[in-house]
Amino acid sequence: MSNAFLMRLMHAAELGEDEIQAIEELCRQPREIGAKKYLSRDGDEMHSFPVVLSGWAARYQILRNGARQITRLLLPGDAFYFDCSPNGIAIEEVITLSPCKIVNILHSDMRRLIDRFPAIGEAMRSYGCMENAVLASWVVNVGRRDALERMAHLVCEAHYRLSLVDANQNNQIYFPLTQDDLADVLGLTPVHINRKLQQLRQDGLITLRSKQLTIHDLRTLQQIAGFDSAYLAPRVQTAPERLWVIAA
Amino acid sequence: MSNAFLMRLMHAAELGEDEIQAIEELCRQPREIGAKKYLSRDGDEMHSFPVVLSGWAARYQILRNGARQITRLLLPGDAFYFDCSPNGIAIEEVITLSPCKIVNILHSDMRRLIDRFPAIGEAMRSYGCMENAVLASWVVNVGRRDALERMAHLVCEAHYRLSLVDANQNNQIYFPLTQDDLADVLGLTPVHINRKLQQLRQDGLITLRSKQLTIHDLRTLQQIAGFDSAYLAPRVQTAPERLWVIAA
DNA sequence: CGGAACATTGACGATAATCAAAGCGAGTGG
DNA sequence: CCACTCGCTTTGATTATCGTCAATGTTCCG
């Protein structure tokens, strides 16, 4: 089985055998966690960041009235609490949306690795940029797109992000979100999600059954969503001073 | 006049005289830019990140149907394109919302500075964390709060962020957003903004006239918005190993 | 003074929320 | 193996928040 975290990094930087081995070393001992488990951030995790090797999870906030808004989907290869202060109080909680394999990477280990292999540092930076791009696109999604467009956009995003990590899936992806989860990602109600899902199905765009999502017409979905993967595309870092270091 | 960028950093790390001087050095030659000017990212700016020293600006995206969604408000002390790949294509554009003083800081200069003064690196990282926290809170805002709550939340956020940079303002802040701008921040229409603004005024919570916002009852606004400044609070970084990711 | 940008108002329409009930499907235990 | 439950999905009826359209006011500025 390939390592999703490694795949992510390899998109953003040229990694040699040594780098690859070192990263795989870090991912040796993943925890296995069931679906719908809450992961709080405490103790040990202050000095490490968890990475999802397989499965889906989500970061969310709960409002006083009980409403939940998911702020990030954590797909295979994604890091969480990556953007937070190491000693910051986490406002957000994490829940697994499917069974997951998760590994905790110590900041100190990552740091040593980056000192040794600058390319990995560049790849991590590139990853952080993508996280931000996704978050900003969600603001746009929820702020300015209607229900159907939001759903189409999410499908396109998930498909694209998963394709970075596992090129095998053509039009069939594992999609464990319940309609309640979808509602909390897209800022809608489950009932409304249900109705718009039916519309997507009737229009022959997707099939969604028992956590398997089949995309019948990606082109049209992208059209509806106004989706352009450019904002997510990992970019190899070519800043000249970096290239110089790599060459040496 | 004090330097807003410096103020930001001083909240997040203990800076000595040398550090302070070095940062002020970087901010020597700000550009003065009028209101409603578009700033595109090209050429020189690929190797630098701009910082707002005074005034308000915004990052936004435009959809195919012409709708605009503002994804970040750039207040005094804020950096922009800070979260992007140095050579990444920027999907988002920037517009000034008031006259601004902006200075471009070279990544290479910042990098040298951080090598010399690690505390500055920590402060920058802390700043990045706050950017992320704001972005996530906007997803929650637009996804799960109604119009009145969103507006209240934005007012609380602006008030708090400005207070970090200039402690002087008690309940009176400079607030240059037009109702159209507000609509594009909050994912609403200008007409609806207008009506809800009136409600806030009638309830005696705020006054907003000629870009001056007076907050009469912060407590109640926070109540309505479910606002708790904890998610924005700058935290002094105490984990030295946390410094990677910054170098660009 | 005149014009442009911005704010306000009213009437009407549409998207999405709410409430409530029924159906389905997978796993559990008797 | 069958009833039973639990989580999830589907449906219908009704409501409300917010959007649209269009006109009128107001403020600011050259």
Side-chain angles (χ1 to χ4, degrees):
Chain A
M1 190 210 71
S2 77
N3 178 327
F5 182 52
L6 178 58
M7 290 297 292
R8 265 292 168 67
L9 299 185
M10 289 181 68
H11 274 285
E14 295 285 334
L15 302 185
E17 273 305 317
D18 290 349
E19 281 98 331
I20 291 173
Q21 239 175 23
I23 290 165
E24 280 179 336
E25 198 69 41
L26 288 184
C27 302
R28 276 269 176 280
Q29 311 266 333
R31 290 175 284 160
E32 305 250 358
I33 300 179
K36 305 283 173 181
K37 300 291 180 203
Y38 296 87
L39 309 181
S40 60
R41 186 185 184 220
D42 49 14
D44 292 350
E45 306 201 347
M46 290 315 213
H47 293 286
S48 65
F49 62 95
V51 169
V52 181
L53 293 182
S54 73
W56 287 42
R59 248 169 79 172
Y60 64 91
Q61 293 182 34
I62 299 279
L63 303 189
R64 280 193 323 306
N65 62 12
R68 180 179 74 157
Q69 175 67 47
I70 290 176
T71 55
R72 297 175 194 257
L73 280 178
L74 306 164
L75 309 189
D78 282 328
F80 50 111
Y81 298 132
F82 178 65
D83 59 314
C84 294
S85 303
N87 59 341
I89 297 154
I91 305 294
E92 303 186 343
E93 303 276 308
V94 171
I95 185 173
T96 56
L97 301 174
S98 77
C100 288
K101 279 200 184 69
I102 293 178
V103 67
N104 271 36
I105 297 183
L106 284 172
H107 287 300
S108 51
D109 284 347
M110 181 50 86
R111 206 217 172 144
R112 261 194 298 280
L113 207 58
I114 289 173
D115 285 344
R116 198 142 59 95
F117 305 116
I120 293 177
E122 295 170 21
M124 288 303 287
R125 179 170 172 82
S126 168
Y127 170 72
C129 295
M130 180 171 136
E131 262 200 1
N132 279 306
V134 170
L135 205 47
S137 80
W138 280 30
V139 171
V140 176
N141 215 22
V142 179
R144 285 293 182 224
R145 281 193 255 260
D146 70 21
L148 200 71
E149 294 168 338
R150 286 183 216 181
M151 298 200 38
H153 198 276
L154 181 67
V155 168
C156 294
E157 179 195 321
H159 174 263
Y160 183 82
R161 284 170 64 185
L162 290 174
S163 76
L164 289 181
V165 159
D166 177 1
N168 286 351
Q169 41 209 327
N170 349 12
N171 293 326
Q172 177 100 343
I173 65 178
Y174 175 58
F175 195 90
L177 302 193
T178 65
Q179 293 183 7
D180 280 38
D181 294 333
L182 268 172
D184 292 343
V185 169
L186 299 176
L188 298 165
T189 55
V191 173
H192 203 62
I193 290 285
N194 183 284
R195 292 182 167 130
K196 291 298 164 179
L197 258 182
Q198 288 178 47
Q199 191 177 333
L200 287 177
R201 284 194 264 243
Q202 276 167 23
D203 295 353
L205 300 174
I206 63 168
T207 307
L208 178 52
R209 255 186 57 95
S210 53
K211 302 180 192 302
Q212 284 298 318
L213 174 69
T214 310
I215 298 173
H216 300 302
D217 187 348
L218 184 58
R219 207 65 48 182
T220 302
L221 281 173
Q222 292 175 336
Q223 188 74 26
I224 291 170
F227 180 88
D228 174 356
S229 65
Y231 77 104
L232 287 179
R235 270 177 273 279
V236 175
Q237 307 289 306
T238 54
E241 67 264 28
R242 277 304 192 187
L243 282 181
W244 190 86
V245 173
I246 291 167
Chain B
M1 193 209 71
S2 76
N3 179 327
F5 182 52
L6 178 59
M7 289 297 292
R8 264 293 167 66
L9 299 185
M10 289 181 69
H11 274 286
E14 295 286 333
L15 302 185
E17 273 304 316
D18 290 350
E19 281 98 330
I20 291 173
Q21 240 175 23
I23 290 165
E24 280 180 336
E25 198 69 41
L26 288 183
C27 302
R28 274 271 176 279
Q29 311 267 333
R31 290 175 284 161
E32 304 250 358
I33 300 179
K36 304 284 173 181
K37 300 290 180 203
Y38 297 87
L39 309 181
S40 59
R41 184 184 187 221
D42 50 12
D44 292 349
E45 305 200 348
M46 289 316 211
H47 294 285
S48 65
F49 61 95
V51 169
V52 181
L53 292 183
S54 73
W56 288 41
R59 249 170 78 172
Y60 63 91
Q61 293 182 36
I62 300 279
L63 303 191
R64 279 193 324 306
N65 62 12
R68 181 178 74 157
Q69 175 67 48
I70 290 175
T71 55
R72 296 175 196 258
L73 280 179
L74 305 165
L75 308 189
D78 282 327
F80 50 111
Y81 298 133
F82 178 65
D83 59 314
C84 295
S85 302
N87 60 339
I89 297 155
I91 304 294
E92 303 187 342
E93 303 276 308
V94 171
I95 184 173
T96 56
L97 300 175
S98 77
C100 287
K101 280 200 184 69
I102 292 176
V103 67
N104 272 35
I105 297 183
L106 286 171
H107 286 300
S108 52
D109 283 347
M110 182 50 86
R111 204 206 178 152
R112 261 194 298 281
L113 206 58
I114 290 173
D115 285 344
R116 198 142 59 94
F117 304 116
I120 293 177
E122 295 170 23
M124 288 302 288
R125 178 167 175 83
S126 168
Y127 170 72
C129 296
M130 180 170 135
E131 261 199 3
N132 279 306
V134 170
L135 205 46
S137 80
W138 280 30
V139 171
V140 176
N141 214 22
V142 179
R144 285 292 182 223
R145 281 192 256 260
D146 70 20
L148 200 71
E149 295 167 338
R150 286 183 215 181
M151 299 201 37
H153 198 276
L154 181 66
V155 168
C156 294
E157 179 195 321
H159 174 263
Y160 183 82
R161 284 170 64 184
L162 290 174
S163 76
L164 288 181
V165 160
D166 178 1
N168 286 350
Q169 41 210 325
N170 349 13
N171 292 326
Q172 176 100 344
I173 65 178
Y174 176 58
F175 194 90
L177 302 192
T178 65
Q179 293 183 5
D180 281 37
D181 294 333
L182 267 173
D184 292 343
V185 168
L186 299 176
L188 298 165
T189 55
V191 174
H192 203 63
I193 290 285
N194 184 286
R195 292 183 166 130
K196 291 299 166 178
L197 258 182
Q198 287 177 48
Q199 191 177 333
L200 287 177
R201 284 195 263 244
Q202 276 166 24
D203 295 353
L205 301 175
I206 62 168
T207 306
L208 178 53
R209 256 186 58 93
S210 52
K211 302 181 192 302
Q212 284 298 318
L213 174 68
T214 309
I215 298 173
H216 300 302
D217 187 348
L218 185 59
R219 208 65 48 183
T220 302
L221 281 173
Q222 292 174 335
Q223 188 73 27
I224 290 170
F227 180 88
D228 174 356
S229 66
Y231 77 105
L232 287 178
R235 268 177 276 278
V236 176
Q237 304 290 305
T238 53
E241 69 268 23
R242 223 17 182 36
L243 277 184
W244 52 276
V245 189
I246 281 295

